[in-house]
Amino acid sequence: MNELLRRILFLPRQASTIAEEIDKLHYFVIIITMGGALLVTLIGGWFLFRYRRTAVQKDPSRRMPEATPAIWLEAVVVVGLFGMFILWWVIGFWQFMAIRVPPENALEIYVTGKQWMWKFAYPQGANSIATLYVPAGRPVKLILTSRDVIHSFFVPDFRLKQDVLPGRLTTLWFEAKEPGRHDILCTEYCGVSHSTMRGEVIALAPEEYERWLQGKSPAPAVAGPVDLRPSSVTDYAPPELVSMVRQGERAAAEHGCLRCHTLDGTPHLGPTWAGLYGTTIRLEDGGSVKVDEAYITESMMDPLARIHAGYQRIMPSYLGQIRPAETSAIIELMKSLRDVRPKPGAQAPWGTVTVPETREGGQ
């Protein structure tokens, strides 16, 4: 039945683990709404026939009997429609949460959209343009950002779409069921060559993916005229694979991040990066936030938005000064330090940093 409905509705193949569940909700909505429309049409047609005006009814002296509304019928219709809406919302919300919360063991890949191409960076140091290589049968978490304008990353076969915003990181995850090729489209108008901003997801068998990642075997040929230049922190890849952690160290040094932040837990002007990623920190306004990709990116682009409690407002904005690939590399560096224990006095519970009175603080 699933395959029959998919073909009737001209839907692409279901190549991810979530695609069939999303299609089931689509079938449910389509069947119910079309059935409702058919029911209204049939009832309307019966009313037209049953209550048509005849020659006798045109006599003004004859009055039609007044109809008494059935309260129970109205209640059934109202409650039924409202209940149907709530049911759809619950199913849709469950699917939304399933898409937004990746498994703990998900493979992370950084995606940058720019006019008019997709660039992919892997923590191990590999890079690609227009072609996203992933292992089949393993969850993959995409961390997406844009270099210029708003784009939208869409893989029809996976039933997944996510807007990609400049100066912000958003996430999406999927799991390809088996090896194969799948189109990538941009579904947000981003300029004159928007329609040519295409790419491919190539799902490989796990062993083939590892070989490609290590550069031991060439990647499968990509059909069509696409730019195959590699990308990295800069526009071109180094002669040998450099992990994103090392790229992050270089980017942090070049942009002066290490003047205020430390990597070994030593207290300084800004919070140490040792053990910071994944913790929940207190904010200046009394709230709290989890240190994840989104918060780190926000702190780089708009450091005054949510101030880490215990530090002064001295961090400058890096909006327009740091490339998306550098942001991703710095985040990967911070992730590599998540198990480094800060030195005594560097961090208090909840990730709140206590600053000695003799030292100035910093964001």
Side-chain angles (χ1 to χ4, degrees):
M1 179 60 71
N2 170 65
E3 186 64 18
L4 175 62
L5 292 174
R6 188 186 69 82
R7 292 182 178 276
I8 291 176
L9 296 176
F10 300 100
L11 297 177
R13 54 181 170 161
Q14 300 164 339
S16 70
T17 53
I18 194 66
E20 185 173 343
E21 296 299 324
I22 293 177
D23 282 353
K24 285 180 180 178
L25 177 59
H26 186 60
Y27 303 152
F28 183 28
V29 173
I30 288 292
I31 291 173
I32 294 298
T33 52
M34 295 302 294
L38 177 61
L39 180 62
V40 169
T41 301
L42 294 176
I43 293 176
W46 182 75
F47 280 173
L48 287 175
F49 175 79
R50 174 64 179 80
Y51 298 105
R52 67 189 186 281
R53 295 190 66 182
T54 63
V56 175
Q57 292 171 337
K58 293 179 181 179
D59 184 355
S61 63
R62 297 176 59 89
R63 296 180 58 186
M64 291 290 294
E66 295 185 0
T68 302
I71 302 300
W72 66 269
L73 181 59
E74 294 184 9
V76 168
V77 172
V78 172
V79 173
L81 292 177
F82 184 73
M84 192 180 304
F85 169 79
I86 294 298
L87 177 61
W88 288 345
W89 184 88
V90 169
I91 297 175
F93 180 75
W94 176 85
Q95 291 183 350
F96 174 81
M97 292 302 297
I99 294 171
R100 293 297 167 189
V101 182
E104 291 293 333
N105 64 336
L107 170 69
E108 295 183 348
I109 300 175
Y110 291 86
V111 182
T112 300
K114 58 178 292 187
Q115 295 171 316
W116 288 274
M117 67 175 69
W118 297 105
K119 304 173 72 173
F120 307 99
Y122 305 76
Q124 296 83 356
N127 300 269
S128 61
I129 290 181
T131 305
L132 171 61
Y133 297 98
V134 300
R138 180 179 176 183
V140 176
K141 176 183 176 182
L142 302 182
I143 305 173
L144 308 103
T145 189
S146 170
R147 186 170 177 176
D148 36 47
V149 299
I150 298 177
H151 301 282
S152 189
F153 185 88
F154 178 44
V155 184
D157 290 350
F158 294 165
R159 309 296 193 270
L160 297 177
K161 184 171 79 71
Q162 173 62 52
D163 286 349
V164 183
L165 310 176
R168 185 183 303 179
L169 287 182
T170 52
T171 61
L172 187 68
W173 81 275
F174 63 86
E175 180 180 334
K177 293 193 293 187
E178 58 185 9
R181 293 172 177 263
H182 314 282
D183 291 333
I184 301 174
L185 306 175
C186 177
T187 51
E188 181 74 33
Y189 181 71
C190 55
V192 294
S193 297
H194 161 69
S195 61
T196 65
M197 189 171 174
R198 294 171 172 266
E200 279 189 321
V201 177
I202 297 184
L204 302 172
E207 59 276 9
E208 290 299 322
Y209 175 77
E210 290 299 327
R211 289 179 58 83
W212 172 82
L213 202 60
Q214 298 171 13
K216 295 182 179 180
S217 62
V222 179
V226 296
D227 187 350
L228 294 179
R229 294 176 302 169
S231 64
S232 64
V233 169
T234 56
D235 285 337
Y236 303 97
E240 59 182 15
L241 294 181
V242 177
S243 71
M244 291 188 70
V245 173
R246 289 182 56 191
Q247 296 177 27
E249 292 174 350
R250 183 174 63 185
E254 291 177 353
H255 290 282
C257 304
L258 303 183
R259 297 173 186 171
C260 299
H261 303 279
T262 64
L263 306 181
D264 60 357
T266 303
H268 199 37
L269 298 179
T272 179
W273 288 356
L276 182 62
Y277 182 85
T279 62
T280 300
I281 62 172
R282 292 193 183 277
L283 300 177
E284 187 180 70
D285 60 6
S288 61
V289 66
K290 183 177 180 180
V291 180
D292 56 10
E293 296 92 347
Y295 175 71
I296 296 171
T297 305
E298 180 187 53
S299 296
M300 291 183 187
M301 307 305 166
D302 187 8
L304 301 182
R306 290 186 284 183
I307 302 295
H308 191 156
Y311 293 100
Q312 296 181 2
R313 299 167 173 250
I314 63 174
M315 179 170 171
S317 172
Y318 284 89
L319 183 62
Q321 302 180 38
I322 187 171
R323 292 185 292 272
E326 292 176 315
T327 302
S328 303
I330 291 175
I331 292 174
E332 200 63 29
L333 169 62
M334 296 180 69
K335 289 181 179 179
S336 72
L337 301 172
R338 73 177 77 187
D339 295 327
V340 177
R341 302 187 65 178
K343 294 184 178 181
Q347 286 187 321
W350 284 62
T352 301
V353 178
T354 54
V355 183
E357 294 181 358
T358 57
R359 183 187 296 274
E360 289 187 349
Q363 161 77 4

